[in-house]
Amino acid sequence: MTSVADNQLEADGLPPITQQRRLVTEVPGPRSRQLAARKSAAVARGVGTMLPAYVVAASGGILLDADGNQLIDFGSGIAVTSVGHAAPRVVAGVSDQVQAFTHTCFMVTPYEGYVAVCEELNRLTPGSHEKKSALFNSGAEAVENAVKIARAFTGRSAVAVFDHGYHGRTNLTMALTAKAMPYKHGFGPFAPEVYRAPMSYPFREPAPIDGAQAAHRAIDILEKQVGASMLAAVVIEPIQGEGGFVVPAEGFLPTIARWCRAHGVMLVADEIQTGFGRTGAWFACEHEDVAPDLITTAKGIAGGLPLAAVTGRADVMDAAHVGGLGGTYGGNPVACAAALGAIATVEEENLLGRARHLGSLMLTRLTAMAERYPSIGDVRGRGAMVAAELVTPGTIEPDAALAAAVSATCHRNGLVTLTCGTYGNVLRFLPSLVMADDLVVEGLDILERAFAERSSTTHSCP
Ligand SMILES: Cc1ncc(COP(=O)(O)O)c(C=O)c1O
């Protein structure tokens, strides 16, 4: 049966989308280049695009561009479409909801979908304690609200964050974010009472240090800079996303969590990038049995629709006064229907298991590539959140130019890859969890050819 989307493609002179890479023009092709020219004239310069292949349809792990090219998507819209593009349960839920109603504002006349999403979040997030949730539109908004709630509960104002951390682009979340360019440069002054501590970043430690030691190094600095009694919250990504897919040494997160608990500081796990099965567990905190006081979610929560949440201890969540939390669109009914479809997809298609499987497939292959290409200094990740950090061979000197060149070669060959990292030298891989193995392997083949083309194969002696 042909779908509405297929009919539209036919009208545009394009074939139906299939789960295969297919290049029929250079990437980006002529239609995309025309659109890019319109973009330059109409869209503010500050909104950049990484690969200007304009998408007309997407399904599973494939993007179809305006020129008829089918690209393998290792970015998932930055860790959003974990259940795949146009996931059937998401499409069905959204279609039904759009026809029923699109908006009332939950703060005015409520609807069941919002409550059902909060119930699911309370059920799925780590910890057996009583929980409550509140819904928002974007990750940054969720982080802002987690800080508001932590401040209301503790009566304190200071917030601690970590080197390399990323939490968004609003004023408070710019303050929480570490990297100046492009996120903060020229946009200050920033919100006060934010303190930054060193992260556990095993590849870049000057000397071996275990997770607990790295945590005590951070705690020591926070105690000196601000003091636990002033801190409302410690906000931490269990695995850093934009900062470079930094997986802290084992023991780092639990040690920080214990210190928070001992001092009444709210531990806020920012799982906006790591959540909803991406790392092979519902939430990355689970890998080390940490149950945070508050957890922020977005991205993978709703299969591509804008939705975000704060979930946490019921007593903490209820600290904000009635009317203190909310927003016109937060928990929009269409986004809630999408979230219920996405959650059902993860459960019914065992996507946690798929994430672990894809992770081991990618890590094995990337580790073998690192043997051949000494510019791959480190390979790391959990589940289907995997990265390769590129360096000058034999050193830990970041090689951002190589990361950009390898990524650009992948794009030309029909593989969407993303870079990240404080030094811009990390290639990150976030395929949808429904992507078939052969497509993932084909993507890795393209990546390997890009390395062969771009990097020196000579091992330098340490
Ligand atoms: C860990 C983390 N926190 C917060 C955000 C901000 O989310 P949003 O872009 O939806 O505001 C992001 C986005 O990349 C993120 O990765």
Side-chain angles (χ1 to χ4, degrees), residues 236-321:
I236 185 164
E237 298 157 89
I239 298 174
Q240 290 182 325
E242 304 304 302
F245 281 24
V246 178
V247 186
E250 199 182 329
F252 182 75
L253 195 58
T255 308
I256 299 280
R258 274 194 297 277
W259 179 77
C260 285
R261 198 167 315 119
H263 297 279
V265 179
M266 295 300 99
L267 180 69
V268 179
D270 180 346
E271 293 244 19
I272 285 163
Q273 193 149 161
T274 48
F276 286 93
R278 176 53 59 187
T279 69
W282 273 103
F283 296 95
C285 280
E286 292 169 50
H287 296 293
E288 290 199 80
D289 276 332
V290 169
D293 299 295
L294 297 173
I295 179 163
T296 55
T297 52
K299 290 188 182 283
I301 190 175
L305 272 84
L307 187 70
V310 182
T311 300
R313 281 169 43 191
D315 55 336
V316 181
M317 290 296 295
D318 278 343
H321 51 270

Side-chain angles (χ1 to χ4, degrees), residues 374 392-396 458-462:
T392 304
T395 75
I396 59 162
T458 333
H459 277 277
S460 60
C461 299

Side-chain angles (χ1 to χ4, degrees), residues 6 26 41 79 92-93 139 148 156 212 229 236 265 275 309 313 317 332 334 385 403 417 426 436 439 445:
D6 288 347
E26 59 187 336
K148 278 166 63 174
R156 307 170 184 174
S229 65
I236 185 164
V265 179
R313 281 169 43 191
M317 290 296 295
N332 168 271
V334 183
M385 180 173 181
T417 47
V426 178
L439 219 48
D445 291 343

Side-chain angles (χ1 to χ4, degrees), residues 88-176:
R89 291 177 190 80
V90 173
V91 172
V94 165
S95 308
D96 290 349
Q97 184 58 48
V98 162
Q99 289 178 48
F101 63 97
T102 55
H103 177 77
T104 63
C105 185
F106 189 75
M107 300 183 304
V108 181
T109 46
Y111 39 88
E112 185 180 348
Y114 187 116
V115 179
V117 171
C118 292
E119 287 168 347
E120 289 294 68
L121 287 165
N122 301 343
R123 173 174 73 87
L124 294 167
T125 48
S128 53
H129 49 276
E130 194 195 339
K131 287 177 230 153
K132 287 196 173 180
S133 294
L135 304 183
F136 305 97
N137 301 293
S138 68
E141 212 189 328
V143 175
E144 291 251 0
N145 278 280
V147 171
K148 278 166 63 174
I149 294 163
R151 284 176 171 162
F153 181 75
T154 59
R156 307 170 184 174
S157 57
V159 181
V161 286
F162 291 85
D163 286 338
H164 313 286
Y166 180 87
H167 302 286
R169 295 170 182 266
T170 57
N171 187 270
L172 174 59
T173 57
M174 278 193 291
L176 302 178

Side-chain angles (χ1 to χ4, degrees), residues 5 12 15 17 20 53 135 137 150 170 203 309 332 352-353 369 408 442 460:
D12 292 342
I17 192 163
Q20 280 150 346
L135 304 183
N137 301 293
T170 57
F203 180 62
N332 168 271
L352 305 186
M369 278 188 222
E442 189 178 353
S460 60

